[in-house]
Amino acid sequence: MQAVIVATPSETHRDLTLGAARAGKHVLVEKPAALAISDLIAMQSACAQAGAVLLVGQTLRFGELGRTLSAAVAAGDIGEPVFCFVGAGQPMMVRSA
């Protein structure tokens, strides 16, 4: 086995990902990846130190809204994003610097 999928309750993602990294496994973690940014940083660091890839099961960035936002940033239509929230069926909210 070269990789694991962490699809458990969110509060378990950090410890399971750290364990997988210690075992040298690549990790696909379902969203939300972590409950705190410090947990996500620890997860990323552990995987990087182990030479493992950490991916989050997030596909919305490849959808129409994600492509539209990326194009707007690239074209300079908005400033550098510092926060973005996109919910299915909801308007896109972007706060820029």
Side-chain angles (χ1 to χ4, degrees):
M1 175 176 42
Q2 297 176 341
V4 298
I5 298 173
V6 177
T8 56
S10 299
E11 62 270 11
T12 67
H13 289 182
R14 179 184 181 274
D15 291 342
L16 291 172
T17 299
L18 295 179
R22 281 192 297 273
K25 306 299 182 189
H26 302 296
V27 180
L28 171 65
V29 62
E30 283 298 330
K31 60 187 179 302
L35 299 179
I37 191 69
S38 59
D39 289 345
L40 188 56
I41 291 168
M43 293 159 63
Q44 190 281 326
S45 179
C47 286
Q49 289 177 4
V53 175
L54 174 63
L55 296 173
V56 178
Q58 173 58 281
T59 59
L60 292 178
R61 66 182 179 163
F62 300 113
E64 183 179 347
L65 287 174
R67 291 192 313 268
T68 299
L69 179 58
S70 293
V73 171
D77 295 339
I78 61 174
E80 180 179 344
V82 294
F83 174 81
C84 179
F85 172 80
V86 179
Q90 300 295 319
M92 183 177 0
M93 300 181 337
V94 178
R95 185 182 324 150
S96 58

